[in-house]
């Protein structure tokens, strides 16, 4: 016992006797790499968004029945790009590469992802630009890591930081974007990557600064919810009940998507034929229900500001679920987080119509959180994102709703990797 204590004292004294190397920074070279990834990610996101807005304004000129041929042509063109330039893959490919390919995201398919997603999102597909941005900026992080000869966890962390920078630029929530880049890797494995939280935060902050400067953004909520008045502890119980209803809708969406996926899988034809079929279906839905067109960034405010009958809201809910499912399964490119928020908003308005005593903002925010956490398995980032995007200052009801959706989600994740499929068997 005495010998062990003596050895400890000797080791401590050796540490104290070592010369002090003064370094005013905790991180130097590595920190600068995170900053560079964030800056590059912000520039990429800014340029992507400018081009996207330009295309949206040009294509939106064709409305009425013209929306059907326009979306069909855009679907065909997107499919041809994927067919000839290369298949950029889905979000599960990013998950697999982060886990099993040492964090390497291949940038060679970025041209295909950028071009096809711009056509799909700008023409009115029910998917947003978040997934393409995450893939492009994440692979940019990998590319920079290879230039600076990073390996192992350093390279993986830089790829995750790149993913976070792309997601943050779109949503304007550095903490939410950082957590999303980790949570999207799935609950069974995400803890393994929390060492990347600081790189993700640093890259997210610098990405948002650059994106805000390019787009001249200010600080504030994106979606204008009515003012929420806290009425007591029972609000938390209401948030849970509302999230349960939203989770049921989330299950419906997941199984609708899986059903349509099996149908498109049976169609043995080229990808551009599938995207053409998807474009025709989406064009018809958009013609009859214009609010279901696009990914919902602007349409959520339209829902909140336009007086729509209960029948109209129910039809919008049903056909928006169908539109997102068709977009996902027919080969169109994009992300479904904002579209899920649109579904949650519609569901909240429907519930408030039948139960007007429930605060409208609480109904909407709980449904948005419940359905997104159910489908994406991201309760923490969902909570922070919604608080940022809506200006809803009470985190606890959102967190209760997010956790409800998360724990009541189907066992088989909607965003699945090969390992998830193997484990589920």
């Amino acid at each position: 016992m005495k010998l062990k204590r003596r050895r400890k004292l000797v080791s401590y004294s050796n540490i104290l006797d070592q010369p002090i190397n003064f370094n005013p920074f905790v991180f130097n070279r590595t920190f600068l790499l995170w900053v560079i990834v964030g800056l590059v990610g912000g520039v990429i996101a800014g340029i992507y968004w400018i081009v996207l807005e330009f295309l949206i304004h040009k294509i939106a000129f064709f409305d009425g029945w013209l929306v059907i041929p326009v979306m069909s042509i855009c679907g065909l063109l997107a499919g041809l790009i994927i067919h000839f330039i290369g298949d950029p893959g889905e979000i599960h490919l990013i998950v697999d590469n982060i886990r099993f390919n040492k964090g390497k995201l291949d940038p060679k398919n970025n041209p295909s992802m950028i071009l096809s997603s711009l056509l799909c999102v700008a023409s009115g597909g029910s998917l947003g630009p978040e997934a393409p941005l995450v893939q492009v900026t994440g692979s940019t992080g990998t590319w920079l890591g290879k230039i600076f000869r990073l390996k192992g966890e350093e390279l993986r962390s830089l790829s995750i930081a790149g993913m976070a920078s792309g997601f943050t630029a779109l949503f304007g929530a550095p903490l939410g974007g950082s957590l999303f880049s980790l949570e999207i890797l799935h609950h069974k494995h995400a803890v393994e990557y929390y060492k990347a939280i600081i790189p993700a935060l640093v890259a997210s902050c610098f990405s948002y600064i650059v994106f805000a400067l390019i787009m001249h953004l200010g600080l504030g909520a994106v979606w204008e919810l009515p003012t929420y008045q806290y009425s007591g502890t029972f609000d938390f119980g209401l948030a849970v009940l509302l999230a349960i209803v939203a989770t049921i809708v989330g299950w419906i969406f997941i199984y609708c998507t899986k059903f349509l996926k099996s149908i498109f899988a049976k169609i043995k034809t080229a990808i551009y034929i599938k995207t053409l079929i998807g474009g025709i279906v989406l064009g018809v839905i958009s013609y009859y229900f214009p609010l279901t067109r696009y990914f919902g960034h602007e349409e959520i405010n339209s829902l909140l500001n336009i007086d729509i009958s209960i029948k109209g809201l129910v039809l919008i809910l049903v056909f928006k679920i169908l539109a997102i499912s068709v977009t996902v399964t027919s080969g169109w490119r994009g992300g479904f987080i904002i579209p899920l928020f649109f579904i949650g908003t519609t569901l909240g308005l429907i519930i408030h119509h039948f139960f007007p005593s429930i605060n409208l903002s609480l109904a909407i925010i709980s449904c948005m959180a419940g359905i997104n956490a159910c489908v994406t398995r991201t309760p923490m980032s969902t909570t922070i994102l919604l608080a940022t995007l809506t200006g809803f200052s009470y985190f606890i009801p959102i967190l209760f709703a997010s956790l409800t959706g998360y724990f009541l989600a189907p066992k088989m994740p909607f965003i699945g990797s090969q390992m998830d499929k193997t484990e589920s068997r």
Side-chain angles (χ1 to χ4, degrees), residues 33 44 202 254 291-292 304 342:
L33 283 178
I44 292 173
V202 172
I254 290 172
L291 271 180
T292 63
L304 296 172
F342 180 92

Side-chain angles (χ1 to χ4, degrees), residues 113-185:
M113 174 57 86
I114 292 171
L115 294 174
S116 61
S117 66
L118 280 172
L119 278 172
C120 293
V121 177
S123 62
S126 286
L127 292 179
E130 59 270 23
L133 281 178
V134 165
Q135 180 168 326
V136 173
T137 55
S139 60
T140 302
T142 300
W143 175 70
L144 288 172
K146 289 181 178 179
I147 289 178
F148 289 94
R149 299 180 180 178
L150 298 185
K151 295 181 180 179
E153 288 304 319
E154 285 189 329
L155 179 60
R156 194 195 311 272
S157 294
L158 203 62
S159 299
I160 293 174
M163 292 167 57
S165 70
F167 194 82
T168 296
L170 177 63
F171 286 94
L175 182 56
S178 302
L179 289 174
F180 178 84
S181 66
L182 302 176
E183 284 189 301
I184 201 65
L185 301 176

